[in-house]
Each structure stands twice: as structure tokens, then as C-alpha cells.
Amino acid sequence: MAVPTPRPLAVEVRGLRRNYSTGFLGRPREVLHGLELEIGRGEFIGLVGPNGSGKSTLLRLLAGVDEVEQGSIRVFGHAPDSQAARRATGFCPEDSPFPSDLAARDVLALLGSLHGLGGAELERRANELLVRVGLAESARTKLGAYSRGMLRRFGIAASLLHQPELVLLDEPTAGLDAPGYAAIDGLLDEVRARGATLVVSSHLLGELHQRCDRIVVLVEGRIVASGSSEELVRTLGASARLELAVEGLDANGLAELRRVAEQRGGRVVAVQPSQAVLVELYRRAATGKTPGETP
Amino acid sequence: MNARAALFAFRRVASPATLALIALLAFAAAATERSTPPALAREGLWNLVLVCAVPLLVARAAAHGARLNTRERNFVAASPHSPAAWFRSSVLGLAVATLVTLALAASSAEFSATNEPARLALRGVEPAPQSAVLDGRAPVRWSASAGHGETLRVELVFVPVGTNATVELRARRESKLQSARALFNRSGSIEVSAPEGDGELSLELERVEGDALLLLVGGNVQRFVPAATPRLASVVLALHAGLALWSLLALAFALATWMAAGYAASLAGALALGPWLAGDEFASTWSPWGQLFDALALAGKGYVPAEPSLVALGVAVAQLALAGALFAAGIRRGGRGA
């Protein structure tokens, strides 16, 4: 399904197929089935789908990490494994691929120099990013000693170091605690603000729908739906389960909201605090204030 | 080429702990070698450092290559550095690791080899009659090209059919004659200085006394010039070892993008040392490792060996080029489906 976009293209995928060899005899298993996708410059794309749907494979191909065998990909008009495309792309894969025997700041220095950065500018950007993702105090610690959440935060910082025009994040929030989630949220807002294109994969739709321009649903290597969250809801009709983020309501207001929803034939399945509430609770705990206390 | 990627390879292959271990071992051994004759001490120290350091460095170079193509592949492949550029940078790091290791080897060897008189430096090899027998009946004659001030050295194999044999080596140019005598009761060598003049130099080797047989095997005569200092031996050994070790590390590093690090290190070692270990005479001419072992043996006898030949240099460069192609193909292959 080709999705036309009015903006100049950042990414163009045509007839993309991908096979993996499986089993002792190396039988090929097709992971992507002739994918067609266009992503406009500055667009924020949420790539969702169940495990094994081909999200990570697609991101690796877009990042030029894996070789395109069938079909074609153009990133800003270049092949994804070209130097021009790689310089314009920041990729954060699902697992940390960074040298675990180096300290965070050394990895950023190496990565920055590979992208042609150096001197005070590199140091400034590296320090700034480490502060933003809450790793400034662990900058001299070897990555091997980092927790999974710290590695995730570091991976996202590393992918943004050279201020790429295309940012590819594979399950960026997996393993993150609430403050980590908030830090990444802020960074993604900044990436958007400077007009970069973002492709973020997740197997959870809820994480993405609020901020994405478009959600692409990938199932068994095929795009089964693509559009804004409202468009996806319209596609599914009344059977869609929706998540509504609300703030500024007390218990009575919430009860009223629930009543209205039920009057209109809906059913409120769950009411739970958002990530932001958890972040605020953590922050207050850290500053010694009680949960009920106002800042 | 990227300096930080080179530094990364250097740190991986020659970590401070690895270098400290090599230095500790070398200088501890050097301190206990002081009663040994200087040439033997020098050879012993070089052998010790090579035996200890080479397997360690090769294993670490292979481990670095394997990590770059497995756990760190997404990092390598997503960077704007091409596989060929990664290889060039890494090989620069491996060269620095080799240099540091050899500097440690040379300094420890020279620390142990003290108070040594100046000796001779090998300048070349002259052809001599193949498999000639010195049995006292007729002298063996041939001509050579050696200038005034040069020394000719002939290796002889002792055949114990008698108790001993005295051999005379005569070098004649025009009317001038230089001769030397040596008593043999086991295999050894005899040396003579080349006389003055520009004419053709003729050599004559004869058993003048004794009942044992001596064989001129291999058909080569070594030509030496005076060496400014015997410490030059370590410089030349460092050149040989540098060429051999650097190309071996690069091969192990590249092979590890195709197989497990242990297999890669073993295979690289077998490819580099195999021809020499198999006793192939030709291998000591073209293999950097063959030339290194010949140079070590000569240094142990108190001479300054010759620099690596152009053939050995060519083989090392070819090995580096092969390693580069293997690495680039290995990284690309890693992205072609699991």
C-alpha cells in the first residue's frame, strides 16, 4: 500500500522484500513482502505491529545496516548504505550495539568523530545529551556496567549526537522507567521541532498515537493500515478500544466523564495514572515531598 | 581513516593490562639473563616476548574483529565509515599495538645484552657449490662478489666419520690472499675477510687436517660488513617481527568476521606459520615469519641480521590486502540475512 504524502520525501520504499534463512538447511523465510512506503520530510511515523512483524528488519534496512536485496529504498534520494544517507540518519537499534568496554563519553567521542564532529563542538553536544538523558554522572562508566534502561537512554542520545535529519528508533521506550520515558519524550519533541523526520517502532500503539503524524501498522511483513490515530479508529469503527488522556479532572469529574461515555454506548475499561503522574511522584519522592503535597 | 577508530582497535588489542603483563615478563626475564652471553640473551628475550605476546595479541585482534561483526555490527554498519575505512583505521591501531609490543621486546632485550663488542651485519647471501664434500682430496673452488672490508662466512655440516677436521678457507683477489683456519668437531662456520682490490674474488675451501668429513650444504655463503653496534640486531629483529606480527594480526582480525574468534586466531596462525613449520625451505625466503626465525637464529650467533627482503614485504602487503577484502566481505555478509 503506497501512502502518498504532500511533503518532499525523506524515505521512499518500493517493493521491499526481505528473506532470512532459517533452520539447519537455511530455508528462506520471507519477513517483508513487497513493502511500499513513503515518508515525508519532518513526518513522525509510528511503526507498530506484533513481535516478528518486520519492524526491526525494516528499520535496519532503512538505516543501511542490512543490505537491500529485493526492491529499493531511497533515503533523501540516496541508497541507505551510502555515506550521505548514513550521515543523515541516526539509528537506535533495539539492543545496545555499542562497545561495552568503553565509557559512555568515549563511545560518543568515537561516534562523533565517525560523523565528522570533533573538538569543543563534539564535547558540548555529548555532554548536553548525556545531561538530557540523565547519564551525566555515569559518563565515565563503561557501558558494560549500565542497566538496560541506561543503555536505552544512551542509545537514543547516541543516535541524536550528529543531529540527523532522519531518526530511526527501534522500541525506544522498552525497559525505560518513568523519568527515562519523560527524558526521551522531551528529546523527541526537540527532534520534531527542528524539522527532522522520525520513525519510531513499538509493539504498543498507546505509546505512539499521541504524537505521531501517521501510524503504520505492520503485520507479518505487510502494511495492513496506515494513517493518523483518528483514521485508524474510523477504520475499526465502534469495535475500537480507545485511550483518552485527561488532566484537570477530580474524582467527580472523572465519574461524570465515565457516565457520559456509558450513555453513548461506550464502556470504560480502565482508569489509570499516566506516565506523567509517575514522573511527578518520583520527582517529589526525590525532593523529599509527600505525594499529596503541591510543589 | 579515523584516528579514534584506530585508537579503539589499539585499546582493544593492546590494553594497558596486556602491555603491563608483557613488560613485566620481559624485564623480569631480562634481569635474570645478565650472566648469559649477550647475543644469546638478546635472542632469548626476543623469543620469550614473541612466544608470550604474539598469541595474546592475535587472540585479542580476532576478538575485536568478531565483536565488530556480531554484537557491535549495528554500530559499525550504521556509521558513515565504510567497512574498508573501518579496516584501514583498525589496521592502523594494530600497527601501533605491534610497535609498542616490539619496543618493549627490543628495550628488554637490549637491557639484558650489555657490554658486547661490535660484530658483523649480514649484507647478503652469495651462491656456493651445492652439497660439496670436504674429504681432504681436492679443494672446493668458486667465485664470489665481496668488496674490501667485507667478511665471508661459510656454514659447514660435520659428518662424524672421524674425530675432527681442520678446514682452511682462502679468499684470493689478483695477487692478494686472505685465509682462515678452523678446527671442527661439530657443525659450525668459518669466516674470512675479502682482500683489497676490484678484480674477481675466488674462494677455496679445503680440509687440511683431520679425518672427519664436512659438507657444504645449502650452497650459500653469507656476506657481512662491520656493524656500528650489535644493538642494531634488535632494530632489525623489530623490523622482521613488525612485518610478521602486523600482517598476522590483520589476518586474524579479518578472519574473525567470518568465524568465531578462536578459530580465526588459530587459522591465521596456521596460515602464517604453517609453511615455515612444515620445513618448506622456500617459505623462509618469502614468509615474513620464516625470515624472522632465520634472523633470530643469526642474532643468537652474535650477528646483526639483514633487513626483511622485498619479497617478505610484498607477502606482508598482500596479506594485508587479503585481510582488507575479507573484512569488507565479512561485514557485508553479516547484513545478508541471519
Side-chain angles (χ1 to χ4, degrees):
Chain A
M1 179 190 315
V3 182
T5 54
R7 315 179 202 215
L9 289 182
V11 174
E12 192 177 3
V13 178
R14 297 271 173 247
L16 184 66
R17 290 179 182 279
R18 177 70 175 171
N19 293 310
Y20 281 126
S21 300
T22 55
F24 178 69
L25 296 174
R27 273 180 301 194
R29 185 174 79 85
E30 198 165 53
V31 180
L32 298 179
H33 305 270
L35 231 58
E36 301 273 337
L37 180 65
E38 287 178 356
I39 300 172
R41 283 182 192 240
E43 240 190 319
F44 187 161
I45 297 287
L47 196 58
V48 296
N51 292 335
S53 57
K55 304 183 300 293
S56 298
T57 303
L58 176 60
L59 288 182
R60 288 166 61 84
L61 288 162
L62 291 177
V65 170
D66 289 350
E67 202 175 313
V68 176
E69 290 166 335
Q70 287 180 278
S72 74
I73 297 178
R74 307 302 286 174
V75 175
F76 301 113
H78 304 282
D81 59 352
S82 66
Q83 205 182 40
R86 282 180 174 160
R87 281 198 187 281
T89 306
F91 176 46
C92 175
E94 196 175 357
D95 296 320
S96 171
F98 303 105
S100 56
D101 51 342
L102 294 187
R105 54 179 292 155
D106 293 336
V107 175
L108 289 182
L110 171 60
L111 192 62
S113 76
L114 293 172
H115 279 284
L117 299 174
E121 172 67 1
L122 172 59
E123 204 174 323
R124 186 188 62 75
R125 279 199 212 174
N127 288 339
E128 193 180 300
L129 279 166
L130 288 173
V131 169
R132 293 297 308 277
V133 296
L135 294 175
E137 284 175 12
S138 320
R140 289 175 192 275
T141 306
K142 287 184 178 176
L143 292 187
Y146 273 26
S147 69
R148 190 171 170 228
M150 289 165 87
L151 283 174
R152 204 88 278 260
R153 281 185 271 160
F154 177 78
I156 291 164
S159 69
L160 302 177
L161 180 67
H162 58 293
Q163 297 190 317
E165 287 303 302
L166 172 65
V167 179
L168 307 169
L169 306 177
D170 195 359
E171 301 281 359
T173 52
L176 281 186
D177 55 10
Y181 190 92
I184 301 309
D185 234 23
L187 274 178
L188 294 189
D189 284 342
E190 283 177 21
V191 171
R192 284 212 78 183
R194 67 175 169 82
T197 310
L198 264 157
V199 183
V200 181
S201 89
S202 176
H203 62 282
L204 300 172
L205 184 64
E207 283 182 356
L208 294 173
H209 82 275
Q210 293 172 357
R211 46 181 64 244
C212 289
D213 295 320
R214 188 149 55 96
I215 292 171
V216 174
V217 184
L218 203 60
V219 177
E220 292 183 355
R222 292 186 175 84
I223 294 175
V224 296
S226 173
S228 65
S229 50
E230 289 79 10
E231 285 168 338
L232 291 185
V233 169
R234 273 201 294 275
T235 306
L236 291 172
S239 65
R241 176 185 284 197
L242 306 179
E243 286 183 15
L244 184 68
V246 178
E247 58 184 10
L249 281 185
D250 59 8
N252 291 336
L254 194 61
E256 180 66 14
L257 186 67
R258 184 189 286 260
R259 193 179 56 75
V260 172
E262 283 168 357
Q263 273 178 355
R264 299 291 298 265
R267 186 168 66 89
V268 176
V269 178
V271 175
Q272 61 189 39
S274 73
Q275 288 281 354
V277 173
L278 291 177
V279 172
E280 182 56 24
L281 284 173
Y282 291 167
R283 195 182 65 77
R284 289 185 185 190
T287 53
K289 290 176 178 166
T290 55
E293 207 176 328
T294 47
Chain B
M1 199 102 74
N2 181 286
R4 282 194 189 268
L7 180 66
F8 176 40
F10 168 71
R11 285 175 64 171
R12 276 267 170 93
V13 175
S15 65
T18 307
L19 292 177
L21 184 70
I22 294 169
L24 186 71
L25 195 73
F27 282 96
T32 60
E33 284 272 6
R34 297 204 140 187
S35 55
T36 316
L40 283 178
R42 177 179 291 117
E43 184 199 4
L45 257 298
W46 268 99
N47 276 325
L48 178 80
V49 173
L50 289 175
V51 163
C52 298
V54 170
L56 190 61
L57 296 180
V58 170
R60 292 183 69 98
H64 180 44
R67 283 177 76 165
L68 287 185
N69 203 29
T70 49
R71 271 184 284 172
E72 290 156 11
R73 195 179 166 277
N74 284 341
F75 171 63
V76 171
S79 79
H81 223 37
S82 69
W86 268 102
F87 179 76
R88 285 195 298 273
S89 303
S90 303
V91 160
L92 177 65
L94 298 182
V96 179
T98 303
L99 275 177
V100 173
T101 307
L102 297 181
L104 281 174
S107 49
S108 62
E110 292 312 315
F111 174 69
S112 71
T114 51
N115 301 323
E116 190 187 6
R119 286 301 305 262
L120 298 170
L122 181 62
R123 260 300 147 265
V125 176
E126 298 284 321
Q130 289 278 354
S131 307
V133 181
L134 301 181
D135 54 5
R137 274 183 257 174
V140 180
R141 293 191 179 91
W142 75 99
S143 61
S145 58
H148 175 56
E150 293 188 342
T151 301
L152 294 157
R153 178 173 175 269
V154 180
E155 290 251 15
L156 295 171
V157 176
F158 184 78
V159 183
V161 292
T163 50
N164 59 37
T166 301
V167 170
E168 189 170 87
L169 175 61
R170 294 181 282 270
R172 236 184 226 104
R173 183 157 20 220
E174 294 154 359
S175 59
K176 295 187 180 67
L177 173 72
Q178 289 276 7
S179 66
R181 276 190 178 207
L183 176 68
F184 286 83
N185 49 22
R186 57 181 174 167
S187 296
S189 64
I190 180 168
E191 291 172 11
V192 68
S193 299
E196 291 175 29
D198 301 325
E200 191 186 71
L201 179 72
S202 63
L203 293 172
E204 210 172 85
L205 192 62
E206 184 179 12
R207 190 186 80 185
V208 289
E209 280 172 25
D211 49 2
L213 291 181
L214 287 156
L215 297 176
L216 181 59
V217 180
N220 289 325
V221 173
Q222 290 169 320
R223 188 161 51 83
F224 291 89
V225 292
T229 163
R231 297 196 187 281
L232 275 177
S234 275
V235 176
V236 175
L237 286 175
L239 287 176
H240 280 283
L243 206 58
L245 181 56
W246 186 32
S247 53
L248 176 60
L249 292 182
L251 192 60
F253 169 71
L255 282 171
T257 58
W258 289 81
M259 59 191 79
Y263 289 126
S266 308
L267 182 59
L271 288 172
L273 296 171
W276 180 80
L277 288 174
D280 178 8
E281 276 186 33
F282 186 57
S284 45
T285 325
W286 62 260
S287 151
W289 283 98
Q291 289 202 0
L292 169 63
F293 292 130
D294 286 352
L296 277 169
L298 201 62
K301 288 173 187 162
Y303 299 99
V304 176
E307 300 82 20
S309 70
L310 281 177
V311 180
L313 185 65
V315 169
V317 170
Q319 205 169 309
L320 285 172
L322 170 71
L326 276 172
F327 180 82
I331 293 283
R332 275 196 294 272
R333 173 180 161 270
R336 224 174 269 145

